[in-house]
Amino acid sequence: MTTDRRTPLDAVHDALGATMTDFAGWRMPLRYGSERDEHTAVRTTAGLFDLTHMGEIEVTGPEAARALDHALVGFVSKIGIDRARYTMICTEEGGIVDDLIVYRLGEEHFVVVANASNADVVAGSLKYRSTDFDATVRDASEEYTLLAVQGPASTAIVGSLTDADLPALKYYAILRTEVAGVPVLLARTGYTGEDGFELFAAPDDAVALWDALLAAGKPHGLVPAGLSCRDTLRLEAGMPLYGHELTRDTTPYEANLGRVVRLDKPEDFVGREALAAAEADVRRTLVGLTSPGKRVPRAGYPVVDADSGERVGEVTSGAPSPTLGMPIAMAYVASERAEPGTRLAVDIRGKAEPVDVVALPFYKRG
Amino acid sequence: MHAPQHLRYSKEHEWLDEAASPAVVGITAHAAEALGDVVFVELPEVGRAVVAGEPCGELESTKSVSDMYAPVSGEVVEINDAVVEDPALVNSDPFGAGWLFKVRIDGEAEGLLSADEYAAFCGE
């Protein structure tokens, strides 16, 4: 894949000395200095992320809610105005096409945020699945830049740049306001396990908004943060990543996310039949693993029985946890091995290293 | 790019200090930067014979695992216990406190680059 898409902050990242990487065709910052320092800043003060690669799909019209009820596994018409919901789009067979955040901006106005690698597929599927409804689906990704301020100092930082009543803004709520004089959609959402905000703005305002947040955040210890620490933060928080924990070959039930599937919705939705069957027959389960050793279980490594060496699962994500100071991983294992406290092993390049099944998340903010 | 003149370099980004006795091996600042934060180092055991161009250990960073290659053939005579205890030394001082192991060289070191050649090889 070629890296041909650049965010409006591309030159800013270069000026900050970022190590850049290709991510789903986008040139994105991996880290600016030490990814561990960025991780620690998000846990203790705050980090500033450029997430412009995420896809934004607008769904509008009198039947926008009904169309999304049909297209997604969640009960979208139950979402209150100015609120958000974590949901998924599944195949007819119940496999996960993508995990999504749906923001409801009005009675007939939704913004669906998709992962960068899936934005086109999700936009196409939503269009196709909406054809029988009075609703318009439009890929609006080009119209938004997305920044995130994450960490315990985020309210103080963003609050210093806006008149909005941030303490009143609930988790998974969104409002239209101005931050540093820039019109934004300001949401209390994130992917790090910390309190924080996501700011949707016009691409032309990206640099001004970034600079204002960075300057306002400096006294609070805010640092620019890249995709590398975003991955260790979300892993510690037990949050799944598309392409790792979530794929077309996994169901929400296997991923311990059965709660997002609303089989109680009155009308039919894509995947309902397969998902109802999947709920009744969960053979493998997503678990957390910790290792007392130093070597890290990584995606694709086999999980094996500690005694017999029999293969019982596979690691989906793994990293050294900066907060816990030990290797952590998520893995699918046979459901009878999923109980916290179970001792298993991971085949790390030919050597079986012991691991323990633990409850997710690994880290929860205090 | 920082690459001390008195060292020689492999295309796998190890450096070799031949003038020291015994010779010292580490990885370059360029490699340390590319790896990101190193969190685990597995060094060859003392007494082991290593072969130029062949893997002799592992460097694990947040995002990846890389083989460590021997830049020269010989016998490992000492390893840097400090870097095993604190792998971050590879990032903070790759040409100094972050050295990896010492080796008694068999014959001649071959095919290694000068500092200028290495900088050119890295495209800088």
Side-chain angles (χ1 to χ4, degrees), chain B residues 27-82:
Chain B
I27 70 158
T28 66
H30 178 84
E33 169 65 24
L35 281 171
D37 294 326
V38 176
V39 295
F40 174 62
V41 175
E42 186 175 88
L43 297 173
E45 285 169 26
V46 171
R48 176 176 159 184
V50 294
V51 178
E54 294 193 359
C56 63
E58 280 182 2
L59 290 161
E60 185 140 23
S61 67
T62 306
K63 295 301 285 180
S64 66
V65 190
S66 303
D67 283 325
M68 178 191 304
Y69 295 86
V72 64
S73 298
E75 182 189 337
V76 176
V77 294
E78 188 181 343
I79 61 170
N80 185 358
D81 291 319

Side-chain angles (χ1 to χ4, degrees), chain A residues 238-269:
Chain A
M239 294 174 171
L241 174 62
Y242 193 83
H244 288 253
E245 286 71 39
L246 311 180
T247 72
R248 284 173 181 254
D249 295 324
T250 53
T251 70
Y253 298 102
E254 293 171 324
N256 271 325
L257 292 165
R259 62 184 161 77
V260 309
V261 182
R262 295 293 297 269
L263 295 170
D264 59 327
K265 278 194 283 188
E267 292 179 64
D268 197 24
F269 63 93

Side-chain angles (χ1 to χ4, degrees), chain A residues 47-364:
Chain A
L48 176 60
F49 296 84
D50 177 7
L51 305 176
T52 302
H53 61 311
M54 302 292 283
E56 291 88 8
I57 300 147
E58 301 238 23
V59 184
T60 53
E63 290 189 315
R66 280 191 62 213
L68 288 170
D69 277 342
H70 171 71
L72 309 180
V73 301
F75 207 159
V76 177
S77 49
K78 291 278 191 195
I79 302 174
I81 292 171
D82 297 332
R83 300 306 296 264
R85 197 73 59 84
Y86 178 74
T87 185
M88 289 181 180
I89 180 167
C90 286
T91 64
E92 284 284 2
E93 294 75 33
I96 299 165
V97 177
D98 201 7
D99 62 336
L100 309 164
I101 307 264
V102 177
Y103 295 96
R104 186 170 204 169
L105 302 180
E107 194 60 46
E108 301 180 1
H109 187 184
F110 297 84
V111 176
V112 178
V113 176
N115 286 296
S117 53
N118 291 326
D120 293 345
V121 170
V122 172
S125 296
L126 289 182
K127 272 179 201 164
Y128 178 73
R129 294 178 185 189
S130 300
T131 45
D132 292 340
F133 298 90
D134 186 2
T136 304
V137 176
R138 197 172 60 85
D139 188 343
S141 301
E142 301 276 332
E143 295 162 32
Y144 289 108
T145 194
L146 176 58
L147 305 186
V149 182
Q150 299 279 301
S154 3
T155 306
I157 293 163
V158 178
S160 71
L161 296 171
T162 182
D163 296 332
D165 184 6
L166 294 188
L169 185 65
K170 293 187 174 128
Y171 190 49
Y172 269 69
I174 188 165
L175 58 80
R176 276 180 204 280
T177 185
E178 285 191 358
V179 171
V182 171
V184 296
L185 289 169
L186 178 66
R188 197 166 210 143
T189 47
Y191 190 56
T192 60
E194 296 301 328
D195 187 17
F197 301 91
E198 295 184 303
L199 298 87
F200 299 83
D204 285 350
D205 292 329
V207 174
L209 188 57
W210 173 278
D211 287 346
L213 289 165
L214 204 55
K218 213 153 229 172
H220 297 277
L222 171 134
V223 298
L227 294 184
S228 182
C229 77
R230 186 168 162 86
D231 192 44
T232 48
L233 289 158
R234 69 93 195 166
L235 179 57
E236 285 184 349
M239 294 174 171
L241 174 62
Y242 193 83
H244 288 253
E245 286 71 39
L246 311 180
T247 72
R248 284 173 181 254
D249 295 324
T250 53
T251 70
Y253 298 102
E254 293 171 324
N256 271 325
L257 292 165
R259 62 184 161 77
V260 309
V261 182
R262 295 293 297 269
L263 295 170
D264 59 327
K265 278 194 283 188
E267 292 179 64
D268 197 24
F269 63 93
V270 179
R272 177 197 280 270
E273 201 176 321
L275 287 165
E279 182 188 26
D281 185 23
V282 181
R283 294 181 190 182
R284 53 179 198 150
T285 304
L286 188 66
V287 298
L289 302 175
T290 58
S291 169
K294 286 187 171 173
R295 301 171 89 212
V296 182
R298 295 189 185 268
Y301 290 5
V303 180
V304 299
D305 182 282
D307 298 320
S308 71
E310 173 204 358
R311 186 179 176 125
V312 298
E314 185 173 309
V315 175
T316 50
S317 295
S321 163
T323 307
L324 279 67
M326 63 167 80
I328 59 172
M330 288 200 272
Y332 281 105
V333 300
S335 296
E336 65 271 18
R337 310 276 188 150
E339 191 62 33
T342 305
R343 172 54 70 94
L344 295 169
V346 172
D347 181 343
I348 299 184
R349 300 183 295 284
K351 188 162 177 280
E353 301 273 359
V355 292
D356 294 304
V357 176
V358 298
L360 291 169
F362 300 101
Y363 165 86
K364 206 166 188 176

